[in-house]
Amino acid sequence: MKTIGILGSTGSIGTQSLDVAKKRGYRVSFLTAGSNAALMEQQIREFHPEKAALLNEAKARELKMRVSDTSTRILSGEEGICECAANSGADIVINAIVGLAGLRPTLAVLNAGKNLALANKESLVAGGELVLSEAEKHHAKILPVDSEHSAIFQCLQGKPSNAAVKKIILTASGGPFFGKTEKDLEKVTVKQALNHPNWSMGAKITIDSATMFNKGLELIEAVRLFHVRPSQVDIVVHRESIVHSLVMYDDNSVIAQLGLPDMRIPIQYALTYPERYESPVEELDLAKCGTLTFFAPDEKTFRCIDLCRQAVEKGGLYPAAVNSANEEANAMFRAGQIRFLEIPRLIEAASAAVHNQEHFTIDDVFSIDRQMRETVRALAKV
Ligand code: NAD
Ligand code: MG
């Protein structure tokens, strides 16, 4: 029986991961989350982990009281979360934390030589070489959970060497504002931006899908995971979210992975790789889909894609800088403090001030994080 651990178990990916774990009969060695003590209590009673941690200290104390009749040990703070990540009986750990907060836990899992099923793309984008070299040093695998990267990973199975890959083609749903002009976007509301056509996800990534910063993060994620140049990653808008991404080989043959838009397929594949099993997801019926459509992305209106492409081309701390600027701007938009189109403007203006360095440490990443968040707030006068 497989044993898994989940970082971010109360979120969208976290709860779907528990659903997969239940159906596959996996043991759960630990769970962590931000502050949702009530849901964490339910998860502890159902999955009996050895350890659980909440970031919020007061909520962790409340949780400790709620589950004092169980044998689960309750930890708190980022330290408690990293302690779960580093010292557990898990064969594989899912990182489903949102944002740069996932970076230290990602490094802790890899440092312990554990395989990492990675949904938390921000840690790979910002941590870059730090994350990849930690995996290599400790012989730990990083298995993609993001649906596009899971698709690419699946399309690459059986390929003898990377040399034959000409291009990676990332599909994008286009989000709720597909086809809109810059003028239309001036006045869009948080509620409209949170209304994603195909996927039900956490709030931060849903806004990133509306700005298409999410596709920019995924471009960087693809460069890191599959060792390709940024110019080898194409993006195509595919409204139906059935084709999850594609690989073009040197002979111009293109392999795609298809399925209904349900994260439990990529989550399960990351956990069972290289094997496959029955999943709770419905069969794809192509005749029912009827038409699948593809469009070039409008990168002039959705400028976040190019901001990310430029950041990965510059390298060093730039990807971390644009990621942190976006995290702050995304949160400010959700809080009603700035308008939608200020998100790309603030990211561009804040990252222009970055003094880049090619090689960096984790402290440099968190120092650029603080700097970018302050700059974004100062520029927005918030
Ligand atoms: P979510 O907001 O639904 O859940 C986030 C989880 O992280 C929760 O358990 C929350 O308690 C915890 N958390 C939040 N802040 C934290 C902090 N500072 N420290 C520790 N824990 C914290 O988010 P989600 O939609 O599940 O996304 C999680 C990650 O997966 C993101 O990186 C996202 O980009 C990626 N992802 C999500 C989807 C999806 O369908 N939801 C698809 C692809 C990739
Ligand atoms: Mg994705």
Side-chain angles (χ1 to χ4, degrees):
M1 197 205 304
K2 197 165 248 178
T3 304
I4 65 165
I6 306 180
L7 298 156
S9 66
T10 59
S12 161
I13 295 289
T15 50
Q16 294 180 84
S17 300
L18 280 171
D19 192 31
V20 169
K22 184 157 84 182
K23 297 209 161 80
R24 295 242 36 83
Y26 292 158
R27 219 179 353 228
V28 175
S29 77
F30 73 84
L31 298 171
T32 82
S35 59
N36 192 340
L39 181 52
M40 183 60 93
E41 176 186 354
Q42 280 179 30
Q43 294 182 342
I44 289 173
R45 295 196 183 281
E46 186 171 357
F47 294 95
H48 315 289
E50 287 136 42
K51 285 186 272 199
L54 287 180
L55 180 70
N56 182 299
E57 306 276 349
K59 291 286 179 182
R61 281 195 295 277
E62 177 193 327
L63 179 66
K64 206 168 181 170
M65 311 251 282
R66 283 172 175 261
V67 297
S68 58
D69 60 319
T70 72
S71 60
T72 301
R73 210 175 114 220
I74 305 301
L75 307 169
S76 66
E78 190 178 41
E79 235 173 274
I81 292 172
C82 287
E83 159 65 23
C84 289
N87 295 305
S88 75
D91 304 307
I92 182 162
V93 176
I94 302 166
N95 188 348
I97 293 173
V98 58
L100 185 65
L103 179 56
R104 286 198 181 94
T106 277
L107 291 171
V109 172
L110 298 173
N111 182 269
K114 304 267 182 203
N115 290 343
L116 177 67
L118 188 67
N120 177 250
K121 61 192 94 184
E122 296 93 340
S123 62
L124 185 59
V125 166
E129 265 311 307
L130 289 178
V131 172
L132 296 176
S133 61
E134 201 68 5
E136 200 175 335
K137 199 154 90 198
H138 300 281
H139 308 289
K141 281 199 189 71
I142 302 177
L143 296 141
V145 170
D146 214 350
S147 57
E148 295 78 1
H149 304 75
S150 173
I152 296 158
F153 184 57
Q154 294 181 55
C155 296
L156 290 173
Q157 296 307 310
K159 171 197 64 60
S161 85
N162 247 5
V165 173
K166 184 171 181 182
K167 267 186 198 174
I168 280 173
I169 304 164
L170 287 177
T171 52
S173 72
F177 302 141
F178 171 73
K180 298 253 186 272
T181 63
E182 186 147 347
K183 189 153 178 294
D184 300 331
L185 294 180
E186 280 293 350
K187 290 200 191 89
V188 295
T189 63
V190 177
K191 199 169 157 221
Q192 288 169 321
L194 283 174
N195 186 22
H196 197 280
N198 305 347
W199 297 97
S200 156
M201 310 180 285
K204 191 260 179 184
I205 183 176
T206 305
I207 298 301
D208 283 349
S209 300
T211 60
M212 295 196 78
F213 194 88
N214 183 51
K215 215 44 62 181
L217 287 175
E218 292 184 353
L219 186 161
I220 304 176
E221 187 184 6
V223 167
R224 306 255 197 260
L225 284 174
F226 305 114
H227 311 286
V228 291
R229 293 185 303 278
S231 59
Q232 285 176 283
V233 183
D234 280 0
I235 294 168
V236 66
V237 174
H238 165 50
R239 296 294 285 156
E240 296 80 11
S241 298
I242 296 292
V243 179
H244 296 302
S245 278
L246 316 88
V247 173
M248 183 184 287
Y249 286 91
D250 275 346
D251 58 358
N252 291 343
S253 176
V254 180
I255 313 276
Q257 186 261 340
L258 286 74
L260 290 176
D262 189 316
M263 287 306 294
R264 291 173 303 177
I265 292 181
I267 292 169
Q268 177 167 304
Y269 189 67
L271 296 177
T272 64
Y273 169 82
E275 285 155 24
R276 288 186 189 268
Y277 297 94
E278 229 173 71
S279 92
V281 180
E282 248 182 79
E283 252 181 54
L284 172 65
D285 181 341
L286 279 173
K288 222 163 143 185
C289 294
T291 313
L292 298 178
T293 58
F294 300 92
F295 304 88
D298 176 0
E299 293 198 18
K300 281 215 175 81
T301 307
F302 296 91
R303 290 173 46 231
C304 289
I305 298 177
D306 195 48
L307 292 174
C308 288
R309 189 183 289 115
Q310 287 178 34
V312 71
E313 273 163 1
K314 286 178 187 158
L317 277 172
Y318 266 102
V322 291
N323 175 64
S324 290
N326 175 62
E327 284 191 24
E328 193 64 22
N330 178 313
M332 285 163 63
F333 172 69
R334 275 181 285 145
Q337 295 170 322
I338 59 169
R339 286 185 311 181
F340 187 74
L341 282 181
E342 283 181 87
I343 300 175
R345 287 179 197 142
L346 288 168
I347 298 168
E348 184 171 30
S351 52
V354 169
H355 290 288
N356 202 16
Q357 48 190 98
E358 202 185 324
H359 301 290
F360 55 86
T361 64
I362 184 161
D363 290 341
D364 296 326
V365 175
F366 283 98
S367 143
I368 201 88
D369 180 56
R370 278 189 299 276
Q371 185 196 322
M372 295 309 287
R373 287 173 190 275
E374 276 165 26
T375 310
V376 164
R377 296 196 86 80
L379 287 168
K381 302 192 175 62
V382 171

